[in-house]
Amino acid sequence: MSMSKYEEALSKYNTELNDEVIKEEVNTLLAKHLEENNTKEVKQFCFNSVELTTLKTTDSEESVLKFVEKVNKFDDCYPELGNVATVCVYPNFAKICHETLENENVEIACVAACFPSSQSFQEIKIAEVALALKDGATEIDIVQPVGKFLSGDYESLFDEIQEIKDVCGDRKLKVILETGCLSTASNIKKASILAMYSGADYIKTSTGKLEPAATPEAAYVMCNAIKEYYKETGIQIGFKPAGGMKTVKDVLTYYTIVKEVLGEKWLNNTMFRLGTSSVANKLLSEILGEEIKFF
């Protein structure tokens, strides 16, 4: 019996991982390299890789406008620091971001396709993505259909992501694995590979709406999957940890994993993003040597 294209893709990679071994490898890597990245230059890089996000039930045109105005104002107040990489909003706020964001180097990302559950009709998901892009989104973040993955329906998962990528065209698509729901390193590896073969431009750990969100172990597995996929296909996929980062040390942890697993080619803010609005001020405070509460 011949393998499906999904089984064939997975067969090219080692997806039988031991969670305890992964944990030990991550601990060893961080013990060896984390402290060397505790520098002003790395914190500056991490700040410029932040995706500044507002995804609240209480968001309104007025609140999103104030959110964008802070990003605009930052360029005037701290021109020497550069800005965040991205503003990230719900799809219905893409237009106001597009109309008011002054820094053309800051991307406009929208969570779409029925974020954060990914539970709806595919037609609705595609329409939401298309509308966000029409209104000015330059990047789209979607959640993989986790239920389909866990039930082994790889064909539907693959087709769904691929259809959404077709709508995005040359705009970047980030696929959120929601690693906290996947439970094992083996599942995270498989989901990473399937997302990349389906057309993801980035793979992202989590929505930040569920616990656990990003973990160093999940990041390590995902970065190794990206590395192996690049070796197999020559296609460079970006990485975004998101959710659960509360301290500068947390941010430096993910930077260290990317640096050691993926290397210099990923150390730019088109290949590495950080979904952690709450740490933006803390990074700024350590860069400038005084308490900053700008965002």
Side-chain angles (χ1 to χ4, degrees):
M1 186 176 175
S2 61
M3 289 191 292
S4 70
K5 61 182 178 181
Y6 321 105
E7 291 167 331
E8 188 178 349
L10 290 170
S11 72
K12 296 175 182 178
Y13 304 87
N14 174 25
T15 58
E16 298 305 313
L17 304 180
N18 181 299
D19 292 322
E20 287 305 313
V21 170
I22 295 294
K23 192 167 188 176
E24 287 173 18
E25 289 177 0
V26 171
N27 288 341
T28 299
L29 183 155
L30 294 174
K32 188 174 181 181
H33 296 289
L34 178 59
E35 194 50 43
E36 71 195 43
N37 295 316
N38 187 12
T39 68
K40 183 177 175 180
E41 290 74 22
V42 170
K43 292 166 190 173
Q44 171 77 67
F45 168 79
C46 289
F47 173 75
N48 296 139
S49 301
V50 165
E51 296 205 349
L52 206 65
T53 302
T54 181
L55 297 173
K56 302 189 193 78
T57 303
T58 53
D59 285 344
S60 64
E61 285 204 357
E62 183 182 9
S63 69
V64 172
L65 180 59
K66 288 179 180 175
F67 168 75
V68 174
E69 283 174 346
K70 281 186 178 180
V71 176
N72 291 338
K73 189 179 175 186
F74 188 81
D75 284 324
D76 297 327
C77 294
Y78 301 100
E80 74 285 0
L81 293 182
N83 217 311
V84 294
T86 315
V87 292
C88 183
V89 296
Y90 281 114
N92 47 311
F93 298 117
K95 188 174 183 181
I96 195 166
C97 290
H98 178 66
E99 290 174 347
T100 59
L101 184 63
E102 294 170 3
N103 188 327
E104 60 185 25
N105 294 318
V106 177
E107 302 286 352
I108 300 169
C110 283
V111 294
C114 304
F115 175 95
S117 69
S118 191
Q119 297 287 15
S120 190
F121 302 102
Q122 178 69 348
E123 294 85 351
I124 300 294
K125 296 180 183 183
I126 286 173
E128 190 177 43
V129 169
L131 288 167
L133 294 168
K134 180 180 75 69
D135 278 355
T138 60
E139 299 181 351
I140 296 291
D141 291 33
I142 67 166
V143 180
Q144 73 155 340
V146 178
K148 289 177 181 174
F149 173 82
L150 292 173
S151 61
D153 186 3
Y154 299 155
E155 182 175 7
S156 294
L157 178 147
F158 187 97
D159 290 346
E160 182 172 312
I161 296 172
Q162 191 171 58
E163 284 177 10
I164 291 171
K165 176 56 186 173
D166 288 345
V167 175
C168 291
D170 59 2
R171 265 76 66 90
K172 299 296 186 185
L173 175 66
K174 304 190 201 88
V175 176
I176 304 165
L177 305 185
E178 201 64 291
T179 53
C181 294
L182 301 183
S183 302
T184 68
S186 291
N187 276 345
I188 293 168
K189 183 76 172 284
K190 289 175 187 174
S192 299
I193 293 161
L194 290 169
M196 291 186 287
Y197 274 95
S198 303
D201 298 295
Y202 291 79
I203 52 175
K204 175 177 168 181
T205 56
S206 30
T207 60
K209 301 292 186 184
L210 296 175
E211 295 294 339
T215 65
E217 291 76 22
Y220 181 75
V221 171
M222 291 169 70
C223 287
N224 274 290
I226 290 170
K227 182 180 182 178
E228 292 169 30
Y229 181 80
Y230 180 64
K231 187 176 180 182
E232 177 72 29
T233 67
I235 300 169
Q236 188 178 4
I237 301 296
F239 174 63
K240 178 183 173 183
M245 284 176 271
K246 295 180 171 63
T247 67
V248 170
K249 184 179 179 182
D250 291 338
V251 166
L252 296 180
T253 293
Y254 292 103
Y255 172 90
T256 301
I257 291 168
V258 170
K259 181 182 177 185
E260 294 305 317
V261 175
L262 291 170
E264 293 290 331
K265 197 166 184 178
W266 272 262
L267 294 182
N268 59 75
N269 73 358
T270 58
M271 281 292 125
F272 177 52
R273 298 282 179 76
L274 288 157
T276 173
S277 292
S278 65
V279 185
N281 285 330
K282 294 174 184 176
L283 284 166
L284 286 172
S285 297
E286 295 204 11
I287 292 163
L288 296 170
E290 59 181 299
E291 188 174 9
I292 304 292
K293 293 184 176 178
F294 191 91
F295 293 110

